[in-house]
């Protein structure tokens, strides 16, 4: 397997036709992100169908990630769509402005989050349009937030607002999110990414809603917490425990905690996710210049490579593939960077294992397979799995040996598309373990992954064909199953 780090690509106007999406998947996309901040239910349902069709054209399964909008706090609309704010000028954010159809002016604009005046105090700093415009709060007068422009610039319709240091009380789950979760479950999104969670409770509520919405389809998605708020950092472990993975969402996070703090936080978050047997996705502006240019900057190349070296499961595109000029080239370049970065990695498996603690049989089998594969230099690890948990646990540690998750579950097949260093294949399993093991071997031989005489480590659960934990490990040479 040439690439272990996975690629999550956002689709939009530039990539929502079958030909382009098929080429993107062939170029290396493993997970397709549907951004619910844009479009309506019909758009997302149609794009989900398109993803499944394109994946079938490519002869493989990819995962779909539905990314909820969350409580994005924005200014309203302006009379002329935008204003130019000068440093030193006075400007009012008014929660009641617009209730009677008023549009923003040079002096004031409305808010979509009516509770903002209650969250603020004099001297608070507000960052608009991803921090490009900075306002200092002078006073709160009823629904009005009176500010002085510290750093000016062009402010256009619906731009986002952050409070420096965090502290806004807006709920992580909005009414729109609740409806969007139902839409995402109608097409069985494999992953649900929740925006702006502050606590484990936010993720637990979202999971409960998703499970209820998915019940008619017998579907439960994996939950990804987008770490975007300053308040999420001290609560990171509890959020991880309540989630299946995190997204290092560097845009809003940088606005709240400061750009300089983000690189170290990124490393810390990825490390914590791996230690907790959770997934990690690194996102925001990774290949930003490729929205307009056919090649990335050297800094962007280093950014992607460093995320790989940090141990991220996946790197993600946003506007680069959703609305950019070069969606296919972006994926190709990102895949090439991942491969090069992985070639330079030093295998630290033994060091990783020194502090591992586990009490479950299936986890001990997973770690035993890694340890055996590392010291015997086997060609591949095969995990015969229903849920995919064994393959996920294996993928949390650095090892050169590729991991193959063979599963009868299509849902598991798609979810495993996000696991680093794991490639999933569909394989039916029954009680005849010898026959299933032979089929597993034949599958890998047919795909050119192994050949006769290669050594493999295989894990599975006995009795085979029933849902249960992995409890068996076998070391074999290709050809021994015959």
């Amino acid at each position: 397997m040439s690439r272990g780090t996975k690629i999550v690509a956002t689709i939009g106007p530039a990539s929502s036709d079958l030909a382009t999406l098929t080429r993107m998947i062939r170029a290396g996309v493993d997970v397709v992100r549907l951004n619910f901040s844009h479009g309506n239910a019909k758009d997302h349902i149609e794009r989900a169908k398109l993803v499944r069709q394109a994946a079938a054209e490519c002869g493989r399964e990819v995962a779909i990630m539905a990314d909820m909008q969350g409580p994005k706090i924005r200014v309203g609309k302006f009379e002329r769509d935008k204003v130019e704010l000068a440093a030193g000028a006075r400007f009012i954010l008014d929660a009641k402005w617009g209730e009677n159809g008023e549009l923003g002016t040079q002096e004031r604009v409305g808010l979509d989050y009516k509770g903002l005046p209650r969250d603020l105090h004099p001297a608070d700093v507000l960052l608009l349009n991803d921090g490009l415009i900075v306002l200092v709060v002078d006073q709160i007068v009823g629904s009005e937030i009176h500010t002085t422009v510290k750093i000016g610039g062009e402010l256009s319709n619906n731009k986002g607002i952050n409070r420096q240091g965090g502290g806004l009380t807006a709920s992580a789950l909005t009414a729109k999110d609740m409806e969007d979760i139902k839409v995402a479950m109608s097409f069985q999104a494999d992953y649900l990414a929740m925006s702006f969670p502050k606590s484990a409770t936010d993720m637990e509520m979202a999971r409960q809603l998703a499970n209820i919405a998915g019940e008619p389809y017998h579907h439960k998605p994996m939950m990804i917490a987008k770490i975007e708020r300053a308040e999420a950092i001290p609560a990171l472990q509890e959020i991880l425990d309540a989630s299946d993975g995190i997204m290092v969402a560097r845009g809003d996070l940088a606005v709240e905690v400061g750009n300089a703090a983000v690189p170290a936080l990124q490393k810390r978050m990825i490390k914590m996710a791996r230690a907790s047997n959770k997934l990690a996705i690194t996102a925001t502006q990774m290949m930003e210049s490729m929205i307009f240019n056919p090649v990335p900057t050297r800094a962007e190349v280093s950014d992607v490579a460093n995320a790989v070296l940090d141990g991220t499961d996946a790197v993600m595109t946003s506007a680069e593939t959703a609305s950019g000029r070069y969606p296919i080239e972006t994926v190709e370049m990102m895949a090439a960077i991942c491969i090069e970065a992985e070639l330079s990695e030093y295998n630290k498996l033994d060091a990783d294992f020194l502090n591992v603690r586990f009490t479950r049989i299936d986890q001990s089998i997973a770690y035993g397979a890694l340890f055996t594969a590392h010291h015997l230099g086997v060609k591949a690890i095969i995990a015969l799995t229903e849920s995919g948990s064994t393959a996920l646990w294996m993928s949390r540690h650095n090892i050169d040996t590729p991991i193959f998750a063979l599963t009868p579950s299509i849902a598991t097949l798609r979810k495993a598309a996000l696991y680093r260093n794991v490639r999933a294949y569909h394989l039916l399993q029954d009680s005849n373990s010898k026959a299933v093991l032979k089929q597993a071997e034949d599958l890998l031989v047919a795909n050119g992954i192994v050949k006769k005489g290669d050594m493999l480590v295989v894990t599975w659960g006995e009795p085979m064909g029933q849902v249960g934990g992995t409890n068996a490990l076998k070391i074999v040479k290709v050809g021994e199953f015959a």
Side-chain angles (χ1 to χ4, degrees):
M1 196 169 63
S2 59
R3 175 171 53 86
T5 309
K6 304 306 178 70
I7 295 174
V8 181
T10 305
I11 62 169
S15 47
S16 290
D17 64 274
L18 182 61
T20 301
L21 188 53
T22 300
R23 290 181 65 191
M24 286 171 59
I25 292 172
R26 288 196 171 120
V29 170
D30 301 287
V31 181
V32 172
R33 171 178 174 254
L34 305 181
N35 186 357
F36 276 67
S37 294
H38 305 284
N40 55 38
K42 183 173 179 288
D43 296 331
H44 300 306
I45 291 169
E46 289 179 351
R47 283 175 176 164
K49 289 178 181 176
L50 187 71
V51 173
R52 298 301 186 211
Q53 185 181 353
E57 291 266 343
C58 297
R60 55 179 289 223
E61 294 289 349
V62 300
I64 293 177
M65 177 181 292
D67 193 333
M68 300 294 101
Q69 177 175 309
K72 192 72 173 180
I73 299 166
R74 302 176 185 273
V75 300
K77 292 185 177 181
F78 292 92
E79 289 176 350
R80 298 182 180 179
D81 295 326
K82 60 185 178 182
V83 294
E84 188 72 27
L85 298 180
R90 300 289 191 267
F91 191 68
I92 297 173
L93 303 172
D94 189 343
K96 289 188 176 179
W97 193 257
E99 289 182 354
N100 298 312
E102 304 98 334
L103 294 173
T105 66
Q106 191 68 42
E107 290 76 36
R108 75 174 64 211
V109 71
L111 297 166
D112 64 356
Y113 173 48
K114 306 305 181 184
L116 187 60
R118 295 193 302 269
D119 289 346
L120 299 178
H121 302 90
D124 281 348
V125 175
L126 297 177
L127 304 130
L128 282 62
N129 193 16
D130 287 335
L132 296 179
I133 294 174
V134 180
L135 308 179
V136 178
V137 177
D138 299 321
Q139 61 178 330
I140 311 295
V141 182
S143 66
E144 299 177 349
I145 305 164
H146 292 248
T147 74
T148 298
V149 180
K150 184 177 180 182
I151 299 177
E154 182 182 283
L155 180 62
S156 55
N157 296 337
N158 305 123
K159 291 303 181 184
I161 305 171
N162 293 81
R163 177 181 177 274
Q164 191 174 71
L168 300 183
T169 60
S171 172
L173 264 173
T174 66
K176 179 182 185 304
D177 293 334
M178 293 177 189
E179 291 303 312
D180 287 344
I181 286 173
K182 295 176 185 177
V183 173
M185 291 304 96
S186 74
F187 55 76
Q188 293 92 66
D190 306 289
Y191 287 91
L192 204 60
M194 300 308 302
S195 297
F196 303 100
K198 295 184 288 186
S199 66
T201 302
D202 290 337
M203 295 306 300
E204 288 161 356
M205 287 178 59
R207 188 188 294 277
Q208 186 176 17
L209 287 171
N211 288 346
I212 291 170
E215 196 169 356
Y217 313 98
H218 307 289
H219 181 73
K220 291 182 179 180
M222 295 182 78
M223 304 298 295
I224 302 295
K226 296 171 65 179
I227 308 302
E228 302 174 276
R229 281 181 161 167
E231 297 94 325
I233 302 305
L236 187 56
Q237 188 59 59
E238 70 169 79
I239 292 173
L240 272 168
D241 292 341
S243 310
D244 298 297
I246 58 172
M247 182 188 294
V248 187
R250 304 177 302 181
D252 281 286
L253 182 63
V255 173
E256 292 212 354
V257 304
N259 290 328
V262 171
L265 283 173
Q266 173 178 313
K267 293 178 183 296
R268 176 185 162 200
M269 284 189 271
I270 293 171
K271 185 177 180 180
M272 287 180 67
R274 288 171 68 88
S276 301
N277 290 324
K278 307 292 182 171
L279 300 164
I281 303 165
T282 306
T284 316
Q285 296 181 330
M286 301 212 80
M287 307 285 274
E288 184 85 351
S289 69
M290 290 194 74
I291 295 172
F292 303 107
N293 302 319
V295 294
T297 66
R298 305 298 186 270
E300 288 165 343
V301 171
S302 294
D303 184 32
V304 173
N306 277 310
V308 173
L309 296 172
D310 288 342
T312 192
D313 284 274
V315 287
M316 192 179 100
T317 68
S318 295
E320 302 96 325
T321 51
S323 56
R325 296 176 184 173
Y326 303 98
I328 298 160
E329 292 84 352
T330 298
V331 176
E332 290 173 339
M333 182 60 69
M334 193 171 258
I337 297 166
C338 290
I339 291 170
E340 286 296 326
E342 289 165 10
L343 288 174
S344 69
E345 285 186 308
Y346 172 67
N347 191 320
K348 307 187 296 296
L349 182 66
D350 288 327
D352 281 349
F353 265 58
L354 290 176
N355 297 313
V356 169
R357 297 288 184 271
F358 46 82
T359 56
R360 294 176 52 163
I361 292 172
D362 44 8
Q363 275 191 305
S364 68
I365 292 292
Y367 293 134
L370 284 176
F371 199 77
T372 303
H374 175 65
H375 287 285
L376 291 183
V378 305
K379 186 73 173 179
I381 300 171
I382 300 175
L384 299 169
T385 179
E386 176 73 30
S387 68
S389 295
T390 305
L392 175 61
W393 289 326
M394 291 177 184
S395 72
R396 300 305 83 194
H397 296 272
N398 298 322
I399 189 168
D400 294 331
T401 310
I403 302 160
F404 295 90
L406 308 187
T407 177
S409 168
I410 296 297
T412 297
L413 192 68
R414 291 169 177 164
K415 288 171 182 174
L418 189 55
Y419 304 173
R420 180 164 172 156
N421 200 33
V422 174
R423 190 67 65 196
Y425 288 96
H426 188 241
L427 182 72
L428 296 176
Q429 298 174 22
D430 56 35
S431 58
N432 187 340
S433 59
K434 185 174 181 180
V436 174
L437 293 172
K438 180 64 169 65
Q439 291 168 16
E441 176 192 282
D442 290 344
L443 180 61
L444 266 61
V445 170
N447 281 278
I449 296 161
V450 298
K451 62 183 184 301
K452 188 172 182 179
D454 285 340
M455 191 176 293
L456 307 173
V457 172
V458 188
T459 67
W460 72 94
E462 288 283 4
M464 191 174 284
Q466 298 183 20
V467 177
T470 296
N471 58 13
L473 182 151
K474 189 172 185 178
I475 306 163
V476 298
K477 284 187 177 179
V478 176
E480 287 185 359
F481 292 137

